[in-house]
Amino acid sequence: MLMTRKSSNANLKRNMVLFGWLMVMLMAASAARAELLIRITEGANAAIPVAVVPFAESGVMPAGDKVSNIVQADLTMSGEFQLLAPEKMLSLPSKRSEVYFRDWRLLGQRYVLVGELTRSGQRVEARYELFDVNREQRILGETAGASASNIRSLAHHISDRVYETITGEPGVFSTKLAYITLTTSGNESVYRLQVSDIDGQRSKIRLESREPILSPAWSPDGKKLAYVSFETGKPVIFIHELATGKRTKAADFPGLNSAPAWSPDGQSLLMTLSRDGNAEIYQMNLASGKTTKLTNHWAIDTEAAWDHAGRGIFFTSDRSGGPQIYYMERPGAEPRRLTFGSRYNARARPDSKGEYVYYIHQRQNTFHIARRNLKTDEESIITRTGSDESPSVSPNGRMLIYSTQQDGKGVLTVVSADGGAAYSLPASEGEVREPAWGPISR
Amino acid sequence: MKGHERDTISTDSTSLKSPVVLSLALHLLILAVALAGWSWTNPVQEPEPRSIAARLISPEPEPSPLVDDQDQRKKDQELKEKQRQKAEAERKRIQQEEAQREAEKKAQELARKQEQLKEQERKRQEAQAKQKAEQQARAKEAARKKAEAEAKERERQKAEQERKRQEQVKRKALEEKKRQEELRRKEEAERQRKEEEARKAAEQKRQEAERRLREQQLNALAEEAKKAQENEARKQREAQAARAREAQMLTDSQKYQALIRERLSQAWYPPSSATENMTARLQITLLPTGELASVTLVSSSGNTAFDNSALGAVRSLKRYPVPDNRDSFERYFRQFTIEFNPQRLR
Amino acid sequence: MKVSAQNKAFAMLLSFGLVAGCSSTGETIGEGDYGYESGSDVAAIDEDGGSTVYGGAEGEGVSSTALSDEEREEARAQAEQAALRNITTFYFDFDTSEIKQDARDALVAHARYLSSNPRQQLRLEGHADERGSKEYNLALGERRAKAVERFLVVNGASRGQIETVSYGEEKPAVRGSSESAWAQNRRVELIFK
């Protein structure tokens, strides 16, 4: 306002000129060639081609499977990788200078893992490198060591690192598996509770009984197992410390004591008791032994499982006629039914991310494992087998193990969480059932 | 505006605009006005207003005769009578005075009126006289002017006559000249006629030439018009061709886009943890052969594994399908952007 | 009703069979059909000592053991009950603990028996077929066992005599994954101790 008329005029003129230029430029920009934009909205619905080159060895390696073979098997089991058979490899490099990316490109591989094992006394050292073939870059390079008797753990560690580097998710190849086997000879039945590597190897018997053992459940720290044992003639919940073999009875009430499930803090167990007359869900504080009744219905309420946040509880109830999955927002809250459309849905197991819940689902006279998207409520069947039971989700939410029948025998099968790939664990003696996937131990 | 206000006032004291001089002048002016005002403020003498005077009617003191008692009553009566008479007389006198006054007034009025009339008459007569005088003056003037004009006219006529005379002389001379000229002209005409003929001939030739030229020009114009039309047609064809090429390039580009999209889709292994929220944008530069010249991550998805999967996919294509047509290539495929964003169908 | 009728007929047949085995091949208990091969007029007495004797014309023969109608009736009833009590496994339809109609008679027999033998202890073992989830089946087996227990108690047994346990799908009676195997595994077993 302090401008003289003359200078305010000048300003206005300047502004108009600028505006004019702006319009011109805008028009020019829009008239100018708009850059092409191509959108890719889906990828190959296939496993990533990866080559694990047999590691070079210096020194005598312990007997047993080769490290690179174990890594290959691990990555294959995940369902996310397509491993190149070593006989197809054009060369067998063990370090970068020996890697000719063009060769691997020709073979259509995306990643190449090379390495060298060195034995020194009772120790084996592994130097391993992972390369991105197209970017011709090393994306992982480490050394790790283990005792010669623990070479499998070393291999699983390498599998974890490779998996993490490529997918960004934690690997689960160093986790443990708990399961029950049954062998019968004549009228004799022997039940065994076993713990093994995730690939079924190095299994150790933790309990042997002539009476059924059911429902193994890992404590969150991976040090204990809770399970149901009929050794006293009725179902009783035991807690078994793996390192020491020490056992305590957690629940031995009249009637059922079953379906134990650990809280995320390891301080309490959800369980199914029928001491009040019919199967209901209780929460027991392990330190005090005090129980709190969470359901109150004449129907069967069982198979409780905490959600990923440790806040709400999924469980099975047949209060609507047949078994269905219900959810209570907090312990003791009014349950909400989740499953419809099939007359049998049981044994809910949520993943650790809160994305999906997996359960047994009847469809056309057989039982599959289905998963439900907790946000969209979409349900899809993820197993191609039938007579499926006991789903257990991997700690990274990417795989599922369950028991099924193969040639009339009970076996364990691992599938990728979307049901893409299936991998049956090597058949062991007798029947295998009730797998429980152990936690990632850090 | 203020600028003007800021103009300084001159401080030259010798100029007429000096404040002292102005002041003096003003005072003098006032004085003059006052004096003039004096003479001005002398209106027509009005007669003094007569107010109803309450004249003291005081009986004139009469010598008091000796009075008898006897005559006292009579004298009283007489006095009364006298008084009455006096009063009467007075009254009458007053009346008379009044009447007189009235008459006077009237007479004055009349006189005034007469005067006025006289004045008016006088004025009128004056005016009349004036008018007469004016008229006379005007008449005189008119007469004078007339005389002038007449004189002028006479002069003019004289001059005119003179001119005419001179003209006559001239004419005569001219006629003579003319006669001579005539002769000459005839000769001239003859010559000219001949020339004319020649000229006409030449003219005809020229016109002929002109016509031919015009024809040529018309032809040329026609040619031009035709050319222009042809040009126009050609331009249109070219534009159409260009549009067709454009369209072709577009369909081509779309076709190659679709090819590239397909190849990249097949070559992309999004990590299993990828969500629909992840978007990675890469800028691609290709060589005309379809080979990848460079790739840059311009916008990260926030997840390293996802970004790397996109980069890996782009780099895994040895040769990108691109159109052979160089224009199409330059237009669309020299440099473009690829966006990786998984949309689950489940 | 079919099962009990069958059982009745079976019991009858059994009795007759015993007689027939020792005597002649009397096929029917008809009026005046005495066509025995042996031709003997006198029938042997069976081990039970209470079998019916055929001989001569109706009413002519003299039976070796003289049972009154009442006693005969009671004996017959007892046999019936014993036969019913032979049934110690009760079956269920898929995913239900509803006691079938044709199981009632046998269970009532068991209840009566328990009621009249208060020191008799009984263990009910509930089972389910292998399909579905193990834990749910454990609860289902228990519910079946409890259903039977309730029925027995209602019909005379006392709760103190009965113990229930469930094995869910863990102890099938018949191995296999067929409808018939499954049907045979959905059961409650009565174990008298």
Side-chain angles (χ1 to χ4, degrees), chain A residues 300 302-303 314-326 337-349 357-363 366-372 379-381 391, chain C residues 94-95 132-133 136:
Chain A
I300 291 172
T302 183
E303 296 174 331
F314 295 91
F315 65 98
T316 308
S317 174
D318 71 345
R319 56 186 66 193
S320 59
Q324 301 290 343
I325 309 296
Y326 286 76
R337 182 170 161 179
L338 291 191
T339 52
F340 298 86
S342 160
R343 64 186 175 131
Y344 196 115
N345 293 288
R347 228 257 195 187
R349 287 290 184 264
V357 63
Y358 299 80
Y359 47 90
I360 300 171
H361 170 86
Q362 185 183 30
R363 180 79 67 93
T366 188
F367 294 83
H368 300 291
I369 309 297
R371 78 169 181 177
R372 176 172 286 265
E379 185 183 76
S380 57
I381 293 177
Chain C
F94 179 64
D95 193 31
S133 94
Y136 179 79

Side-chain angles (χ1 to χ4, degrees), chain A residues 390-412:
Chain A
S390 314
S392 181
V393 198
S394 65
N396 67 0
R398 303 253 59 86
M399 289 181 260
L400 182 98
I401 193 168
Y402 68 99
S403 69
T404 184
Q405 299 287 320
Q406 206 175 74
D407 302 325
K409 228 168 62 141
V411 292
L412 299 183

Side-chain angles (χ1 to χ4, degrees), chain A residues 70-123:
Chain A
I70 296 170
V71 173
Q72 246 187 331
D74 281 347
L75 296 177
T76 304
M77 176 173 70
S78 73
E80 301 185 46
F81 303 99
Q82 172 74 35
L83 276 294
L84 182 69
E87 50 269 24
K88 295 209 178 116
M89 296 178 187
L90 300 172
S91 54
L92 299 173
S94 65
K95 48 182 176 281
R96 196 206 176 115
S97 52
E98 295 167 5
V99 176
Y100 294 103
F101 291 107
R102 223 187 56 145
D103 287 353
W104 300 103
R105 269 183 93 123
L106 269 167
L107 291 167
Q109 302 304 301
R110 283 299 169 92
Y111 301 95
V112 177
L113 179 72
V114 305
E116 185 177 354
L117 297 164
T118 313
R119 174 85 181 257
S120 53
Q122 284 309 302
R123 212 167 152 73

Side-chain angles (χ1 to χ4, degrees), chain B residues 75-108:
Chain B
K75 271 198 179 142
D76 279 345
Q77 264 189 335
E78 278 181 351
L79 191 68
K80 268 190 188 159
E81 186 64 38
K82 266 191 186 161
Q83 275 185 346
R84 198 185 53 79
Q85 278 178 351
K86 256 194 191 154
E88 191 74 42
E90 192 63 42
R91 225 182 359 255
K92 267 190 186 153
R93 199 180 57 81
I94 289 171
Q95 273 184 352
Q96 271 180 351
E97 268 192 344
E98 288 246 7
Q100 212 181 17
R101 242 195 343 260
E102 203 65 47
E104 264 186 43
K105 235 196 219 170
K106 275 190 181 149
Q108 270 190 346

Side-chain angles (χ1 to χ4, degrees), chain B residues 128-146:
Chain B
Q128 242 182 4
K130 215 177 177 184
Q131 236 182 359
K132 244 189 194 166
E134 272 183 0
Q135 265 184 345
Q136 279 179 344
R138 268 207 304 274
K140 265 195 192 152
E141 186 68 29
R144 192 182 57 78
K145 274 197 177 150
K146 192 171 168 192

